[in-house]
């Protein structure tokens, strides 16, 4: 994964919290993806301003007990493959 | 989850039919033969309230459709209300009336995406099916949506008069910059049911069309949705993702329905959003509970392993073909009425179509 990459959600996609279902959602033209809390937390940081390293650091600061680097990298590559982040 | 468990899951999607008026006359139109008159349409304030209620109820997507939704001068206000309620909006349009200014007004209000319909691959053929010159408007609509950077989907209703042009239709979608094309084999409701004999395609056309779709999928990244022609497949479609399960439809006059063709069910008496809250309608109204879940089913559905996957097919199709909405959808090969569909698909399509028009 390129350390200079600043992931951002694709233009047509909205990330929102659904207060009725208490879930984070990715909403696109004909589809809704219900996110688990970890995925929601990572994607919320993908605003185009942070590098992947900064994202990992922020998550590590919030959750000092878990090692996040590998998981986050893998997750971001996967959602990029889906076209949800670029 | 059905009413038997006492808990009704919230709806995901709202189909807002803001008007039935339309400048086009598509013979395949799924709108009811008795179109809602403009004088009985609900006003702006009611739509604003309904979007708030829909958001509170858990609706995530609103498809703003009709008729031609652009005929509502207050469309931007309706879109803005959906946006305030956190709802992702898609405009479903013929493209007539969508220029850069109008689209700008709608995107300022928060519109997220557009689904544009086109009748065929060329101006002459498309205008012939639409019953009015409109292809040039659609071409412009696609262009302004692309320029605005909004996701564009194309919807093409397929039948015997355009299936042979499928290759050119998909090429048109690619040229127009669509991210996805919904190849919507005609569903036989409303005007399409009236024009069924003229529209049914026959198996050979469908087989060639499926081959065309397969070839495009191999060489292009455009997303192609092939809506199954259920008259020919022997399987029932999971209509609306289940009755009162995922989606809510609001008619131009405020009637609330589990699906946009349930107007034709005579005993349904749909509740009106002018009289009740959407939450009550969704959870408690007799209309939404009539075919919710599986408890209403009879054989062969009642004991069929498919019942939670296809919900016994479409209630409106069961009614249209057998006169009884609670029977198994005759599209299913296990239905005792399946011969009705088989006979219809055996006959060669002849007959001229009649155009959709008000006051039929
Ligand atoms: C009823 S139209 C209303 C919106 C707009 N007037 C239009 O045609 O795009 C909603 C969508 O349903 C599609 N449609 C209409 N009749 C249909 C039918 N009988 N079967 C399948 N899709 C249909 C249209 O192509 C359009 O995408
Ligand atoms: S399908 Fe055709 S006639 Fe029906 S509402 Fe859309 S454009 Fe109008
Ligand atoms: S019998 Fe009913 S549940 Fe079973 S496949 Fe047919 S329609 Fe679906």
């Amino acid at each position: 994964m390129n350390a200079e990459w600043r992931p951002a959600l694709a233009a047509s996609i909205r990330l929102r919290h659904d207060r009725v279902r208490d879930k984070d959602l990715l909403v696109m033209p004909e589809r809704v993806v219900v996110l688990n809390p970890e995925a929601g937390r990572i994607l919320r940081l993908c605003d185009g301003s942070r590098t992947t390293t900064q994202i990992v650091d922020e998550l590590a600061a919030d959750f000092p007990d878990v090692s996040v680097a590998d998981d986050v990298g893998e997750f971001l590559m996967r959602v990029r493959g889906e076209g949800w982040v670029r | 989850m059905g009413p038997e468990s006492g808990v009704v899951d919230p709806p995901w999607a709202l189909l807002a039919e803001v008007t039935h008026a339309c400048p086009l006359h598509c013979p395949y139109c799924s709108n009811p033969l008795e179109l809602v008159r403009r004088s009985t349409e609900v006003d702006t304030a009611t739509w604003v309230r309904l979007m708030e209620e829909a958001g509170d109820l858990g609706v995530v997507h609103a498809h703003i459709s009709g008729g031609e939704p652009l005929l509502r001068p207050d469309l931007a206000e309706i879109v803005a209300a959906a946006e305030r309620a956190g709802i992702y909006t898609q405009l479903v349009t013929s493209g007539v009336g969508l220029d850069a200014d109008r689209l700008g007004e709608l995107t300022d209000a928060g519109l997220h995406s557009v689904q544009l319909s086109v009748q065929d691959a060329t101006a002459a053929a498309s205008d012939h099916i639409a019953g009015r010159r409109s292809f040039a408007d659609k071409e412009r609509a696609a262009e302004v949506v692309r320029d605005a950077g909004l996701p564009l989907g194309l919807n093409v209703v397929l039948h015997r008069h355009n299936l042979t042009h499928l290759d050119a239709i998909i090429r048109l979608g690619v040229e127009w910059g669509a991210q996805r094309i919904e190849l919507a084999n005609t569903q036989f409701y409303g005007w399409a049911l009236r024009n069924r004999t003229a529209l049914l395609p026959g198996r050979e056309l469908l087989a060639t069309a499926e081959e065309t779709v397969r070839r495009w999928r191999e060489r292009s990244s455009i997303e192609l949705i092939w809506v199954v022609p259920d008259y020919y497949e022997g399987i029932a479609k999971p209509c609306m993702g289940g009755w009162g399960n995922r989606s809510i439809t609001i008619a131009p006059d405020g009637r609330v329905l589990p699906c946009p063709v349930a107007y034709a069910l005579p005993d349904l008496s749909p509740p009106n959003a002018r009289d009740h809250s959407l939450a009550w309608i969704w959870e408690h109204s007799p209309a939404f509970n009539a075919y919710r879940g599986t408890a209403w089913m009879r054989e062969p559905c009642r004991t069929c392993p498919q019942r939670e996957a296809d919900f016994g097919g479409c209630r409106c199709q069961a009614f249209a073909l057998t006169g009884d909405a609670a029977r198994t959808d005759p599209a299913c090969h296990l239905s005792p009425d399946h011969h009705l569909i088989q006979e219809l698909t055996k006959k060669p399509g002849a007959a001229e179509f009649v155009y959709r028009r008000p006051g039929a």
Side-chain angles (χ1 to χ4, degrees), chain B residues 38-310:
Chain B
R38 298 222 69 179
S39 57
T40 61
E41 288 178 7
V42 296
D43 61 10
T44 314
T46 306
W47 275 115
V48 168
R49 167 174 71 77
L50 288 171
M51 288 301 177
E52 281 166 21
E53 285 190 33
D56 289 342
L57 193 55
V59 165
V60 170
H61 266 135
H63 303 271
I64 301 186
S65 184
E68 178 46 61
L70 293 166
L71 289 178
R72 289 276 309 214
D74 57 355
L75 194 62
E77 289 175 71
I78 298 171
V79 169
E83 172 69 2
R84 282 196 300 278
I87 299 173
Y88 190 103
T89 46
Q90 169 155 278
L91 175 69
V92 185
T93 178
S94 71
V96 176
L98 194 62
D99 57 16
D101 286 349
R102 192 75 198 277
L103 185 66
E105 197 194 328
L106 296 170
T107 50
D108 286 349
L111 183 71
H112 294 103
S113 72
V114 176
Q115 185 190 280
L116 173 69
S117 61
V118 66
Q119 281 68 6
D120 208 327
T122 61
S126 181
D127 292 351
H128 171 62
I129 295 167
R132 181 189 190 271
R133 278 178 70 165
S134 50
F135 187 81
D137 294 15
K138 293 166 186 287
E139 196 166 15
R140 180 194 54 185
E143 190 184 330
V144 299
V145 173
R146 213 168 50 225
D147 289 350
L150 253 58
L152 174 68
L154 205 65
N155 180 288
V156 192
V157 178
L158 299 174
H159 43 75
R160 71 177 297 113
H161 303 275
N162 65 3
L163 264 166
T164 48
H165 310 151
L166 187 58
D167 193 60
I169 290 171
I170 298 174
R171 197 171 324 119
L172 181 83
V174 173
E175 279 166 19
W176 283 8
Q179 275 96 62
R180 67 198 299 274
I181 310 179
E182 194 167 308
L183 302 166
N185 282 293
T186 307
Q187 306 290 305
F188 293 101
Y189 306 103
W191 292 86
L193 184 59
R194 164 99 183 251
N195 283 312
R196 184 170 56 193
T197 320
L199 296 173
L200 276 172
R203 285 184 197 283
E204 299 78 57
L205 282 187
L206 286 168
T208 315
E210 285 189 63
E211 178 57 22
T212 303
V213 173
R214 201 186 55 71
R215 273 188 278 111
W216 272 98
R217 282 193 177 135
E218 274 172 8
R219 67 174 200 265
S220 164
S221 63
I222 195 163
E223 187 185 356
L224 297 177
I225 315 290
W226 175 255
V227 176
V228 170
D230 62 346
Y231 269 50
Y232 293 90
E233 299 282 332
I235 46 169
K237 59 184 174 241
C239 196
M240 300 305 288
W243 183 276
N245 190 38
R246 301 186 58 84
S247 182
I248 197 162
T249 297
I250 306 182
D253 57 2
R255 275 178 292 167
V256 187
L257 297 153
C259 99
V261 302
Y263 297 98
L265 296 181
D267 300 329
L268 194 64
S269 43
N272 197 296
R274 287 172 165 133
D275 311 322
H276 303 279
S277 71
L278 272 193
W280 180 86
I281 291 172
W282 177 255
E283 284 159 22
H284 301 295
S285 69
F288 274 79
N289 283 307
Y291 307 108
R292 193 172 246 156
T294 53
W296 58 272
M297 287 178 177
R298 306 186 196 140
E299 294 298 346
C301 295
R302 177 177 280 281
T303 53
C304 177
Q306 282 298 318
R307 67 187 181 280
E308 305 271 359
D310 68 16

Side-chain angles (χ1 to χ4, degrees), chain A residues 11-14 16 18-21 25 27-32 34, chain B residues 10-12 55-56 58 60-61 63 86 88 90 112-113 115 151 180:
Chain A
S12 61
I13 295 186
R14 293 286 177 281
R16 57 163 288 206
D18 179 337
R19 61 187 187 284
V20 176
R21 298 175 183 83
L25 306 179
V27 190
M28 21 202 135
E30 300 285 345
R31 210 171 149 194
V32 183
V34 181
Chain B
W12 290 95
D56 289 342
V60 170
H61 266 135
H63 303 271
Y88 190 103
Q90 169 155 278
H112 294 103
S113 72
Q115 185 190 280
R180 67 198 299 274

